[in-house]
């Protein structure tokens, strides 16, 4: 789950919980289903605050880092940043990243 924030075109969706259904890499948008709504909405990653416990990958940085999966440990600055828990040899245990640097991992 996640929460929608910062929308100007559809402000009534701000604060609404949503389910992330997928990611369109070409458009760089999440497909989300807002709670209580019947249709999906395409949103930029910065408009979706991810909940702790979600598995994510980094969008930027060295290839070796982008291959790692991390778990959101904490939401910082009202969703502008995340503390990510990494579990990889030689990697820091906890890193802080901007929200636009992470993507939800889909199996």
């Amino acid at each position: 789950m996640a929460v929608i924030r910062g929308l100007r075109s559809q402000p009534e969706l701000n604060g609404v919980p949503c389910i992330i259904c997928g990611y369109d890499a070409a458009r760089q948008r999440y497909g989300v289903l807002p709670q209580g709504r019947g249709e999906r909405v395409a949103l930029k990653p910065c408009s979706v605050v991810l909940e702790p416990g979600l598995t994510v990958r980094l969008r930027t940085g060295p290839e070796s880092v982008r291959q790692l999966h991390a778990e959101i440990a904490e939401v910082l600055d009202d969703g502008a940043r995340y503390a990510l828990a990494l579990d990889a040899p030689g990697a820091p245990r906890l890193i802080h990243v901007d929200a636009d640097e992470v993507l939800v991992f889909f199996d």
Side-chain angles (χ1 to χ4, degrees), residues 8-26:
R8 293 187 196 134
S9 63
Q10 298 180 65
E12 68 277 7
L13 292 179
N14 290 330
V16 174
C18 63
I19 296 173
I20 300 172
C21 303
Y23 183 74
D24 182 338

Side-chain angles (χ1 to χ4, degrees), residues 23-100:
Y23 183 74
D24 182 338
R27 295 180 58 213
Q28 296 186 0
R29 301 284 191 276
Y30 283 121
V32 304
L33 183 60
Q35 187 175 21
R37 313 279 174 152
E39 60 186 57
R40 285 175 50 163
V41 179
L43 299 177
K44 294 178 184 177
C46 65
S47 297
V48 180
V49 178
L50 307 174
E51 289 188 348
L54 281 176
T55 301
V56 296
R57 288 187 2 200
L58 292 173
R59 294 178 56 193
T60 60
E63 182 70 22
S64 60
V65 173
R66 285 184 284 142
Q67 297 302 316
L68 296 177
H69 295 155
E71 184 176 296
I72 294 178
E74 185 178 358
V75 177
L76 307 169
D77 302 327
D78 293 324
R81 296 179 54 78
Y82 297 108
L84 302 182
L86 298 174
D87 188 21
R93 305 265 312 141
L94 195 67
I95 61 171
H96 291 183
V97 297
D98 291 334
D100 62 354

